[in-house]
DNA sequence: TAAGTTGTATACTCATGGGTAACATTGTGG
DNA sequence: CCACAATGTTACCCATGAGTATACAACTTA
């Protein structure tokens, strides 16, 4: 009895299935617009009305897709966090020495941080989120730091990374990478890949000239 | 005709001179309390009432010392920026190779960024400031970046620093340093000096082990 | 002691913006 | 064809928080 979904897709009377798909598309559009405005003006300085007008709709329509403003912000950072975690998994999958995996991770991390959702992650302060969201946000960030720390420690053992305090080293690395979100200009001369490569190169080689 | 100021200082009727001194002390107290709250909860989430209650006074009293909320924030970041610029001047004064001066600068920079006003500088987003303040804030930050970039370039010439894109390298460095404000815990195991030294070491030596 | 200056509090005003109630419209399914 | 669900709008409510008008107390100075 299942109607042919290929046919149904083309029909203007697309049915319930297509409706929920439409809903997702619209929800996504709200998110995309919101994150852009949040990054431009900041979360507090962006009103739901601002987001609505940018989409040619009105405020209650937005509340039809999201429970409240906090949920919108949380969804934005969640997407960014997800991308970063994906980058970590991909790097691990590639294998190689700890240094190689770390470099792969950092490169992808840097690229994520040039995207809208990535920018939102590093620019959103904990206290801007609701209590519940904040808890999850913090936990995710800790998890990421932990994952990087672990690779750094492995590198100190397998000899591919210089010894030191792994925690402090991790913060030094993520600091450089997170900060990209503060200055990167998509209309600038450097592509995300250029920035990622340059940044990773400096972190790996250091400032001192090799001789 | 000028009264003996040493005598006047001890009298309970201290006169106009002492009054303006008192005023400065109180203004400073407002600033110190404000910056602490701003760093804890964020600028928008901190009301003037919050600052007032923390000081056991009321809102209008604060407006007796500051024209508006923006002025308070601006004064906070100004103090932080000043400290960073002082660090730059001190490092230049010490002399040495570009690398030596850069290291001295970065070390001091890192320490400033663990102080309340320093934290405020890196955590305050441009759009939180008034239009006028924003302009000055941005200009100051650009100036600092420019100063660091200049030293980096000098180092590439005198051979004390590895070659590369000086601008990108500068952002990589300041990223690590600025990010300290996001994670540093004054009650933690590491002192500001420990953090500064460790961070600078990683940036100079890189992750790769020297052989 | 009267007038002025400084610092502080009480008690407002007022704009902003998150969120909602109620209603209109339209396609969907029985 | 009718009821229902989904989507959207207009028109509101209400809390918060920046900033102020005004009164008042205390000390200074003439």
């Amino acid at each position: 009895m299942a109607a042919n979904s290929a046919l149904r897709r083309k029909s203007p009377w697309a049915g319930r299935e297509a409706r929920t798909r439409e809903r997702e598309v619209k929800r996504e559009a709200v998110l995309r617009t919101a994150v852009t405005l949040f990054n431009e003006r900041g979360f507090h300085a962006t009103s739901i009305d601002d987001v609505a007008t940018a989409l040619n709709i009105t405020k209650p329509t937005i509340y039809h897709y999201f429970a409240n403003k906090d949920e919108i912000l949380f969804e934005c950072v969640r997407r960014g966090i997800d991308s970063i975690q994906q980058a970590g998994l991909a790097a691990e999958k590639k294998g190689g020495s700890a240094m190689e995996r770390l470099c792969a991770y950092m490169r992808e991390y840097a690229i994520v941080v040039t995207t809208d959702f990535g920018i939102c992650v590093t620019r959103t302060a904990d206290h801007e989120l609701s209590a519940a969201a904040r808890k999850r946000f913090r936990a995710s960030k800790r998890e990421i730091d932990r994952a990087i720390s672990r690779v750094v420690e492995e590198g100190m053992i397998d000899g591919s990374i210089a010894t030191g305090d792994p925690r402090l080293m991790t913060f030094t690395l993520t600091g450089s990478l997170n900060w990209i979100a503060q200055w990167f200009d998509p209309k600038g001369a450097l592509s995300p890949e250029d920035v990622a490569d340059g940044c990773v190169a400096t972190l790996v080689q250091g400032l001192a000239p090799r001789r």
Side-chain angles (χ1 to χ4, degrees), chain A:
Chain A
M1 272 52 55
N4 183 324
S5 75
L7 265 183
R8 215 196 289 177
R9 197 163 303 148
K10 297 194 169 168
S11 160
W13 296 276
R16 194 155 40 82
E17 205 174 295
R19 287 282 277 280
T20 60
R21 209 165 36 238
E22 288 261 305
R23 189 184 168 82
E24 270 318 300
V25 169
K26 290 181 183 172
R27 217 182 117 95
E28 202 65 28
V30 171
L31 240 40
R32 290 232 143 259
T33 305
V35 77
T36 308
L37 292 176
F38 291 166
N39 289 342
E40 254 171 39
R41 316 176 190 175
F43 178 66
H44 281 290
T46 305
S47 71
I48 297 290
D49 269 323
D50 290 337
V51 180
T53 11
L55 286 161
N56 287 316
I57 55 176
T58 58
K59 188 162 55 165
T61 302
I62 291 196
Y63 282 99
H64 203 257
Y65 295 93
F66 295 91
N68 50 46
K69 201 185 173 190
D70 294 312
E71 188 180 301
I72 299 180
L73 179 59
F74 181 64
E75 280 289 303
C76 290
V77 297
R78 207 177 57 72
R79 272 170 171 66
I81 289 266
D82 277 359
S83 300
I84 294 175
Q85 286 176 329
Q86 289 305 319
L89 293 178
E92 280 303 311
K93 199 158 282 173
K94 271 200 205 163
S97 70
M99 174 64 107
E100 283 164 335
R101 280 172 288 140
L102 182 59
C103 284
Y105 194 170
M106 290 197 295
R107 197 188 122 97
E108 285 309 305
Y109 190 132
I111 291 171
V112 170
V113 165
T114 64
T115 67
D116 282 336
F117 291 126
I119 291 171
C120 192
V121 171
T122 72
R123 295 236 266 244
T124 299
D126 289 7
H127 45 70
E128 292 183 306
L129 291 155
S130 68
R134 178 166 49 243
K135 212 171 165 180
R136 292 181 56 188
F137 184 49
R138 278 204 187 136
S140 300
K141 288 198 294 183
R142 249 198 315 274
E143 217 174 273
I144 291 170
D145 285 336
R146 207 90 62 93
I148 297 180
S149 252
R150 215 177 306 127
V151 184
V152 169
E153 278 171 39
E154 282 174 42
M156 289 180 185
I157 292 168
D158 78 11
S160 58
I161 291 176
T163 53
D165 177 344
R167 199 147 201 77
L168 181 47
M169 207 176 259
T170 299
F171 283 135
T172 304
L173 304 178
T174 53
S176 287
L177 300 176
N178 288 328
W179 200 252
I180 292 171
Q182 303 283 333
W183 59 265
F184 179 74
D185 174 13
K187 291 189 287 292
L190 298 173
S191 72
E193 288 77 14
D194 291 339
V195 170
D197 290 333
C199 196
V200 170
T202 296
L203 292 172
V204 171
Q205 312 266 329
L207 291 170
R210 303 253 149 183
R211 54 206 115 144

